[in-house]
Amino acid sequence: DQQVKQNSPSLSVQEGRISILNCDYTNSMFDYFLWYKKYPAEGPTFLISISSIKDKNEDGRFTVFLNKSAKHLSLHIVPSQPGDSAVYFCAASALGNTDKLIFGTGTRLQVFP
Amino acid sequence: DTAVSQTPKYLVTQMGNDKSIKCEQNLGHDTMYWYKQDSKKFLKIMFSYNNKELIINETVPNRFSPKSPDKAHLNLHINSLELGDSAVYFCASSQDLDGSKYFGPGTRLLVL
């Protein structure tokens, strides 16, 4: 039972443009969401998070949007840079149980010049 | 300085063998985890320890036994390895309540 879904396995974007990575979830108990970035042969690195009391959180070039009614969140990267090329994982948890993160299967982003 | 380190990075072994993976974190975090990433790229939690005490055990076969000698170390011992155990195993640690975790580079286990 896949509670966190990233339906696009890959995304290719030109440098300087916006990258939009999407994530859907099914469990209505989830109220805390995170994005991780992973380079080959490395572990995932925390990028940005959002709680369900917000619908947007911004950190530099990265913005996460949350649509609770649609059970959907997205990560926007603007402008995209070649160094952003990586696999991006969406993860979710219920507050008070952040030890147990449920991850999506990831979206591979490639930013080309 | 490496925050979360794992050894070995690669492990190739025969079915039925017993193997261990070691993890160390120098971040002073209280909580450590083992995650498994299978061939379908699902990253799933296996165990979590807080200050050497087991907190989460996610229906993992009892062939897998974590051991935390101190809060900076969490090792994973696997008995009687099976083909399905082939995966990438990630160690992680956290301190903040926001759920963000620091992951190690992973151990790529291949069981032949």
Side-chain angles (χ1 to χ4, degrees):
Chain A
D1 179 25
Q2 199 178 339
Q3 300 183 65
V4 178
K5 300 177 185 179
Q6 293 176 257
N7 292 317
S8 298
S10 62
L11 176 67
S12 191
V13 171
Q14 189 172 29
E15 183 178 6
R17 302 255 186 191
I18 185 170
S19 296
I20 301 176
L21 297 102
N22 293 305
C23 178
D24 298 292
Y25 61 97
T26 57
N27 190 337
S28 57
M29 297 298 290
F30 288 151
D31 52 11
Y32 195 76
F33 306 89
L34 305 89
W35 284 94
Y36 281 81
K37 175 180 178 180
K38 184 184 179 304
Y39 291 118
E42 294 184 12
T45 303
F46 170 71
L47 198 55
I48 192 169
S49 63
I50 188 168
S51 73
S52 58
I53 60 173
K54 294 177 141 184
D55 54 17
K56 176 182 173 181
N57 189 23
E58 196 170 351
D59 183 1
R61 296 185 297 112
F62 301 90
T63 303
V64 56
F65 294 93
L66 175 62
N67 182 333
K68 290 190 292 288
S69 60
K71 294 193 178 70
H72 176 84
L73 64 155
S74 60
L75 175 68
H76 292 210
I77 307 172
V78 54
S80 301
Q81 298 173 355
D84 296 330
S85 298
V87 177
Y88 289 79
F89 289 95
C90 170
S93 73
L95 273 177
N97 194 17
T98 53
D99 276 352
K100 190 174 171 183
L101 287 183
I102 307 298
F103 283 83
T105 50
T107 297
R108 182 177 301 278
L109 173 66
Q110 185 174 8
V111 181
F112 59 93
Chain B
D1 268 353
T2 303
V4 182
S5 60
Q6 296 179 227
T7 53
K9 282 195 172 179
Y10 299 94
L11 189 51
V12 181
T13 188
Q14 300 284 337
M15 277 177 58
N17 284 350
D18 302 338
K19 291 293 178 186
S20 291
I21 308 172
K22 295 187 176 181
C23 177
E24 177 181 1
Q25 55 98 1
N26 62 7
L27 298 166
H29 290 168
D30 287 334
T31 309
M32 295 185 72
Y33 311 82
W34 278 110
Y35 280 82
K36 177 182 179 181
Q37 186 179 32
D38 60 22
S39 57
K40 294 182 180 177
K41 305 302 180 187
F42 285 109
L43 192 62
K44 290 184 180 176
I45 189 166
M46 300 173 68
F47 302 101
S48 83
Y49 269 73
N50 183 276
N51 267 318
K52 304 191 297 176
E53 286 194 29
L54 180 65
I55 304 298
I56 294 174
N57 181 342
E58 279 294 302
T59 60
V60 176
N62 57 16
R63 297 183 296 103
F64 291 79
S65 51
K67 282 190 173 53
S68 182
D70 55 61
K71 77 173 195 177
H73 295 85
L74 181 61
N75 304 323
L76 184 65
H77 188 76
I78 315 171
N79 288 328
S80 303
L81 278 155
E82 301 177 357
L83 293 176
D85 297 332
S86 296
V88 183
Y89 292 84
F90 289 99
C91 177
S93 71
S94 72
Q95 185 71 18
D96 298 330
L97 295 176
D98 67 1
S100 61
K101 293 169 176 48
Y102 291 78
F103 282 83
T107 295
R108 284 142 190 84
L109 171 64
L110 178 60
V111 182
L112 303 174

